[in-house]
Amino acid sequence: AALWRVRRQLELGIGLQLLQQLVGINTVMYYSGDILRQSFYGDEEPTDAQRRVLIWLTAPVACAQLVGCVIGMLLVDRVGRRPLVLASLCGIVLSLLLEGAAFGFNDWVCSGGSVDGSLREACSGTGWVSLGAMASYLIVFGVGMASVPWLVNAEIYPLQLRSACVSIATAVNWVSNLLVAVSFLTLEEAISRPATFWLYGACAAVGAIWLYVRMPETSGKSLEEIEALFGARQQSAPPAADEHVSATTS
């Protein structure tokens, strides 16, 4: 009954944590080396010199999310949680569309036998497009989706239920992290590399629409004001057991 009374907050908290993983963040982090290898060299086995280049290229990718997190830290209280997370998701959608397009161009156009002239020059740049898309993805993710789910979960629950609700939302985050990570290679085989990134982008787009409808702004509000934001939508909550007992005895 206690969790039922905060079901709106719990829905938002779980949804944010689930969405953080469904946009593919840890897939990109865990498989960044493989993604770069595929984007630059396709299915060919890179030489030792090319492997060293790939190792160096993972450095800006790893630093990109740090840059985004610093930007988000500076903006989260000035701009607000809601605008920041919505802007972050829009950037994620665009970055994943570009990442998928780079792989699609490489797989469906450049892999043909008759590639010459300007087309060959365009094909040689797909790796750099993929690198840029990955870096931009991590920056815009860091701006909003990296921190806002944790921040919102820390401030929307009543004190007496906060530990339980945050524990549930955190468990959802890690379970979805595992499922998204282990399914990446299977998805690549089943629906192709471009479609896998577009699927993550579709999750981000759906999530942005859902948050636009369901997420209120909590920045600068007291705990009582935050409870009132969600309480207005929870008028139909069932009465507590002690209230029911007192009503029947009277």
Side-chain angles (χ1 to χ4, degrees), residues 6 154-165 223-224 227:
V6 294
E155 63 187 11
I156 61 176
Y157 306 116
L159 289 176
Q160 65 271 24
L161 296 173
R162 183 170 295 171
S163 58
C165 293
L223 183 58
E224 291 76 14
E227 289 187 24

Side-chain angles (χ1 to χ4, degrees), residues 71-145:
I71 296 172
M73 181 178 64
L74 297 174
L75 295 178
V76 68
D77 287 323
R78 298 180 185 179
V79 176
R81 286 80 162 122
R82 176 184 161 89
L84 206 61
V85 77
L86 292 176
S88 176
L89 285 169
C90 291
I92 288 171
V93 172
L94 294 176
S95 299
L96 289 172
L97 285 175
L98 183 60
E99 183 72 37
F103 270 108
F105 189 78
N106 192 50
D107 291 351
W108 301 328
V109 177
C110 301
S111 59
S114 58
V115 177
D116 53 13
S118 59
L119 185 57
R120 180 180 300 172
E121 186 175 339
C123 290
S124 65
T126 56
W128 296 105
V129 173
S130 177
L131 176 63
M134 284 181 63
S136 65
Y137 167 84
L138 289 169
I139 290 173
V140 296
F141 180 91
V143 167
M145 281 304 295

